Amino acid sequence: MSETNTPAPEAAEGHRYTAAMAADIEARWQDVWDAEGTYEAPNPTGDLAGDPAVVARPKKFIMDMFPYPSGAGLHVGHPLGYIATDVFARHQRMSGHNVLHTLGFDAFGLPAEQYAVQTGTHPRVSTEANIENMKVQLRRLGLGHDKRRSFATIDPEYYKWTQWIFLQIYNSWYDADAKKARPVSELVAAFENGTREVPGGRAWAGLTAAERADVLNGFRLAYASDAPVNWCPGLGTVLANEEVTADGRSERGNFPVFKSRLSQWNMRITAYADRLLDDLDALDWPEAIKLQQRNWIGRSEGARVDFALGDEAITVFTTRPDTLFGATYMVLAPEHPLVEKFIPAAWPEGTHDVWTGGYATPAEAVAAYRKQAASKSDVERQAEAKDKTGVFTGEYAVNPVSGDKVPVFIADYVLMGYGTGAIMAVPAHDTRDFEFARAFELPIRCVVEPTDGRGTDTAEWEDAFVSYDAKLVNSAGEGISLDGLGVVEAKAAITDWLAGRGIGEGTVNFRLRDWLFSRQRYWGEPFPIVYDEDGVAHSLPESMLPLELPEVEDYSPRTFEPDDATSKPETPLSRNEAWVNVELDLGDGVKSYRRETNTMPNWAGSCWYELRYLDPNNASALVDPEIEQYWMGPREGAPHGGVDLYVGGAEHAVLHLLYARFWSKVLFDLGHVSSAEPFHKLFNQGMIQAYAYTDARGVYVPAAEVEERDGGYFYQGEPVKREHGKMGKSLKNAVTPDEICEEYGADTLRLYEMAMGPLDVSRPWDTRAVVGQYRLLQRLWRNIVDEETGQVTVVDGEPDEATLRALHKAIDGAGSDMAGLRFNTAIAKITELNNALTKAGRPLERSVAERLVLLVAPLAPHIAEELWHRLGHTDSVVHQDFPVADPAYVVDETVTCVVQVKGKVKARLEVAPSISEADLEQLAVTDAGVVAALGGAEIRKVIVRAPKLVNIVI
Ligand code: ANZ
C-alpha cells in the first residue's frame, strides 16, 4: 500500500467531516485508485489480461452514452447518468462481478469545426483541450472507470477501425436468401461462374470495369448513389432523414432543407429492416424507445399492382389492394422517371380545364409543376392540411380489375422515396385522395360499405370513409368478386388474383430509408475511398489505414443563402489538392487517383465504440475475438449478447441506437463479433432541470444571484419571474459539479444526484437541498469517528436484536435497490439506518460500522474508503463483498392474534405488530376457521384490539 493511505491530516476544524475534509479525502483516494489501478477490469487475454480469478467471475459490461467534449464543460445535469452507472458498477463489483466500466469521448462534430472557423484554432487542438478539461471534471466525481480503456473517436488509432468497418460494409452485400451480409467477392464469384444472374442479363466477363463497378454498387451495403438527398444550403451540407425535423428543416440551426440530386454515400440499412425490427423483441429496452424504432422502421404490408399504360406498366404500392375497384385515377411522384416516357404532345380530347393547371401542353404543365415541387420538403408535401395540388400528365392507364381507363396525374403528395413512387388513388377510402378528387373533379367510387350511417352515394359524402372493419361492395369484375368479403379476406383474394395473372404480388414496404452517410464537412473521418481516372471507386487496403485528416487552410464548408435550393456543396477537404490527388499502387501498379473529399457523419464513431473499450490497444484487429466473446457474447436468457447496461438520454432513440444496431449486425454477419446486438439493456435517465429567472423585460438573469424572500424572487432588488427549464448557458442557470464539489465534496454531490428521484424521471436541481446529503455524511462520519480526537469509536461485541434488524433490513433493501437502479430508495434506506444508529447514541459495534461503510461504498466511495481504512483495513473497500442480509432479521417480527367468537378462541393469526385495526378485522372475519365457527350467523359487532385480540359478537 502506498503512503497516501494514512489517515487524513487534521483539518482546521478538528476531526469533523467538512468540505475541507472531504476535499482532502477525495483527492487522496483518487490518487491512490489511479496509482493502484483499482478500477482496471482484466481481460481474459491480450495486453489488458489480468487476474484469472477475476476473469472467471460473471462479467458486467456497463456503459454510458459517451460525451461530446464541448467547450462549456460539464454542468451538474451531465453526470447524472455517469454517477448512476458508477454506483451500479460498484455494487456489481462488490457482488462478485468482473465489471468493465469506462468512458471515452465522441469528439468529431460540428461545434469544434465552427469554433475553428471562427478562431482559426485547429479542431483537434480545441477538442483535445476540451477533453482534458472534462477529464479533470469527471475525475473529481470519483468515477470508477478503467482509464486504460478510454479513447476519443478522433484518435487516428481509433478511426483507423471506423474506416476499416466502413470498408467491411462497402465490401459486403446483403444476401436476401441467406438473410445476412456476405463479402462482395462471393457475389463476384457467383456472377463469374453463372450461379447468379448479372442484373441486365449480360455476362460478367463481357462487362467493362466501370460497368462491373456499377453493378456491384447496386449490391454493396455502402454505396454511392446519385439520388435526391436532403441538401441544407444554410449549413453547406447534406443531412440524414433523421436529422431533418418534422417541419422539413435542419435539426441543427433550423435552416430549410431541400431535395437535391447529389452523388452521396449511403448505407443500405434498409436491407436489415426486418432484422432490426424482429430483434427488438429480445432487447431489454424501454418500450417507448422500441416503439419509436418500430415506427421509424415502419413496416407496411400490402401489394404491388401493375397498371398498364401502353407498353409500360406503372407499378403502385398499396396497403389496400382490396379497394382496387375503387381506384379511379393514379398519381405519380413529380420526379417519377416514367413521366417523361409517356407525356403526349398535346392534351387529349375532353381534358378537364382544372387538370391542365392552365398550361398549353402536358410537357409545360409537368415541367412547371416539377419545379414547384422541388422547392418543398417531403414533410411540407405531405402535410395533412395542405391543399392538394397536381397536374394531369395527359395519359390514361388501365385499372386491371375494372378495365376502366384512369387518368394519370403527378402530385406532390406522392413521394418518390416511398413504395414505388406511384399510387392508385381510391378517393372514397383515402383522405388525401378524397380531397384531391374533389379539387380535380374526379370520380369517387365507394367499394367499402360505410358502417357509419352514410350511404354509398359518394356525391353526398363530406370525407372519405376509412375503415378496416367493413365489407366490400361494388367490387365484381371478370373472374373475381370481392363483394361481401371483409377487408382482410378481400386483400388476400385480390392479391392472389393479381399474382395469378402476373400483374401484382403481396409485398412488405418499409418507411426506413437508406442512411445518407456523407457530409460536406472537415471534422469527421475521411472515407478510405479513391477514384480512378474513369471515376470508378476503389477502396484503400487496410495497410493504408488510418487515412488521416489533412491540414486545410479553411475548415468551413461553403454555405449558401439558406433558401438557395440550386446551390451545390463544396467540401473543405477538396481544397487540399496535394492530399486529394495521389499516386497509389492498389495492386496493379502505380496510378493516379482522386480521394473522396466528403467525410463521415458524426454518428460513425459511436456506431461501434463499445467494441473498442474491450481491446483498446489492439493494433492488428478491431477487437480480439476471445475478448469480444467474453464481454459481449450471447449468454443464457439473452440470445444476442451485448452490453449489460447502457445508460443515456432518450433523444437517441432512432439515430445512434439504430445505426449502432445496424453496424453490429453487419459485423456479426461477417463473423467479426459474436453478438448481433450492441446493447442488451438500455436505460434512459431523466433530465436535470433547473429554475430560471426572467426580469421585467423577459431577459434571463443569473439564477445563482436570485434571492428568495417573502414568497417572491428578487434579482438586484427587482422582482423576477421563476420558470422551469433545461439547465444551460442560455438560461443562465447552469451549476457546475466543480462548485458543488468545492462547497460540499463529490460524495455529497453523488448522493444528492442519486437521491433526487427515480433515475428515469426528470428532476429540478435545487442547490439549497444539497446540504441534506452533506448532513447524512456528517452523521455517518460521527457514528464512526470521534470528532474531538479523530479516533474510531467502534467497540467489539454483538449488536442487539433491534440494531441487527435495522441493519439487515437496510442491507436487503438497499442492495436490491442498487441492483435495480433505484438509487433514491437505496439512499432512503441507508439514511433510515444511519439515523437509527445515531439516535441510539451508543458507539457502534465494529460489525455494524463495517457493514454500514460497505453499504455506502457504491454511493459515496471516498468517505467509505477513508472510513474503511480508519477501521483498520489495508485493502480497498472497492473490492470488498457487498454485505449479505440475514433473512432471519429481514422478515418482520410477528405477534399472535387470538380471534374469539362468542368468547371462545377459534383462530390464532400471525400478524405484523404494526397491523391496522381494519386490516386485522378483515383478516379475522375471512379466516377459514372463523368462517366455519360463524356458520353463516350474522355478525353483530367486532371488537378489535390490534395486534393481539379480535372478538366477534354474533
Ligand atoms: C390505395 C389506398 C386505398 C391506399 C386506401 C390507402 C387507403 P403506409 O401505411 O404509410 O405504408 N402511398 C403509397 N406510396 C406512396 C407514396 N410514394 N407517397 C404517398 N403515398 C403513398 O401507406 C401506404 C399507402 O399510402 C398506400 O396505400 C398508398 O395509398 C399510399 F383506401 O393505396 B394506398
Side-chain angles (χ1 to χ4, degrees), residues 754-813:
M754 292 300 98
M756 285 168 85
L759 187 60
D760 55 350
V761 172
S762 292
R763 67 277 312 270
W765 178 266
D766 183 3
T767 297
R768 287 164 309 179
V770 176
V771 71
Q773 298 302 326
Y774 179 58
R775 299 221 173 97
L776 166 66
L777 293 180
Q778 288 186 315
R779 283 195 298 273
L780 168 73
W781 183 260
R782 223 178 287 137
N783 276 335
I784 298 175
V785 178
D786 185 316
E787 292 189 335
E788 302 289 316
T789 65
Q791 293 306 304
V792 165
T793 55
V794 296
V795 294
D796 289 332
E798 273 306 298
D800 62 17
E801 166 116 4
T803 305
L804 284 174
R805 284 196 181 280
L807 176 69
H808 284 278
K809 265 191 177 169
I811 292 173
D812 183 56

Side-chain angles (χ1 to χ4, degrees), residues 312-439:
E312 302 282 349
I314 305 178
T315 305
V316 302
F317 168 71
T318 175
T319 46
R320 295 295 302 271
D322 54 303
T323 62
L324 186 51
F325 282 94
T328 54
Y329 67 99
M330 297 184 78
V331 183
L332 304 190
E335 310 83 353
H336 200 294
L338 264 186
V339 176
E340 286 95 13
K341 289 215 181 157
F342 60 65
I343 352 184
W347 295 115
E349 196 70 35
T351 299
H352 228 293
D353 278 350
V354 285
W355 294 6
T356 65
Y359 289 94
T361 64
E364 279 176 47
V366 165
Y369 190 76
R370 281 184 159 179
K371 203 166 155 206
Q372 176 192 328
S375 69
K376 294 197 183 129
S377 73
D378 284 1
V379 180
E380 279 175 289
R381 284 170 53 162
Q382 292 232 303
E384 288 288 336
K386 171 184 154 296
D387 284 340
K388 297 288 170 288
T389 62
V391 289
F392 181 40
T393 61
E395 266 299 353
Y396 289 83
V398 179
N399 180 321
V401 269
S402 66
D404 290 347
K405 273 177 63 182
V406 293
V408 180
F409 281 74
I410 57 171
D412 65 5
Y413 75 95
V414 173
L415 304 176
M416 194 58 222
Y418 191 71
T420 60
I423 67 161
M424 63 181 217
V426 184
H429 306 294
D430 179 277
T431 305
R432 290 171 306 171
D433 296 347
F434 185 90
E435 288 165 15
F436 190 89
R438 278 283 152 89

Side-chain angles (χ1 to χ4, degrees), residues 188-458:
V188 172
F191 286 150
E192 266 165 1
N193 65 27
T195 48
R196 180 176 276 268
E197 196 187 331
V198 178
R202 292 172 61 191
W204 187 250
L207 301 184
T208 64
E211 287 169 334
R212 287 179 181 181
D214 254 2
V215 168
L216 294 180
N217 197 48
F219 285 85
R220 292 182 190 279
L221 287 180
Y223 63 97
S225 88
D226 194 17
V229 294
N230 303 308
W231 164 235
C232 180
L235 289 175
T237 183
V238 299
L239 298 170
N241 289 346
E242 290 83 350
E243 294 167 319
V244 180
T245 65
D247 318 321
R249 299 175 80 91
S250 59
E251 190 144 68
R252 231 181 29 233
N254 198 34
F255 292 112
V257 174
F258 301 94
K259 282 282 168 204
S260 179
R261 264 198 120 76
L262 295 167
S263 179
Q264 297 291 327
W265 284 95
N266 288 276
M267 292 267 168
R268 212 178 293 278
I269 189 171
T270 51
Y272 282 84
D274 260 327
R275 282 170 61 187
L276 287 168
L277 207 55
D278 293 346
D279 289 352
L280 277 175
D281 294 341
L283 299 181
D284 185 1
W285 283 21
E287 270 313 310
I289 301 282
K290 289 192 186 183
L291 188 66
Q292 282 186 66
Q293 289 218 347
R294 289 197 183 102
N295 290 342
W296 188 259
I297 297 167
R299 186 176 195 274
S300 291
E301 271 180 47
R304 285 176 196 268
V305 185
D306 290 342
F307 282 61
L309 193 162
D311 297 339
E312 302 282 349
I314 305 178
T315 305
V316 302
F317 168 71
T318 175
T319 46
R320 295 295 302 271
D322 54 303
T323 62
L324 186 51
F325 282 94
T328 54
Y329 67 99
M330 297 184 78
V331 183
L332 304 190
E335 310 83 353
H336 200 294
L338 264 186
V339 176
E340 286 95 13
K341 289 215 181 157
F342 60 65
I343 352 184
W347 295 115
E349 196 70 35
T351 299
H352 228 293
D353 278 350
V354 285
W355 294 6
T356 65
Y359 289 94
T361 64
E364 279 176 47
V366 165
Y369 190 76
R370 281 184 159 179
K371 203 166 155 206
Q372 176 192 328
S375 69
K376 294 197 183 129
S377 73
D378 284 1
V379 180
E380 279 175 289
R381 284 170 53 162
Q382 292 232 303
E384 288 288 336
K386 171 184 154 296
D387 284 340
K388 297 288 170 288
T389 62
V391 289
F392 181 40
T393 61
E395 266 299 353
Y396 289 83
V398 179
N399 180 321
V401 269
S402 66
D404 290 347
K405 273 177 63 182
V406 293
V408 180
F409 281 74
I410 57 171
D412 65 5
Y413 75 95
V414 173
L415 304 176
M416 194 58 222
Y418 191 71
T420 60
I423 67 161
M424 63 181 217
V426 184
H429 306 294
D430 179 277
T431 305
R432 290 171 306 171
D433 296 347
F434 185 90
E435 288 165 15
F436 190 89
R438 278 283 152 89
F440 288 84
E441 298 173 25
L442 288 155
I444 301 177
R445 179 180 164 136
C446 172
V447 294
V448 179
E449 191 165 33
T451 50
D452 58 358
R454 64 172 109 183
T456 53
D457 179 4
T458 60

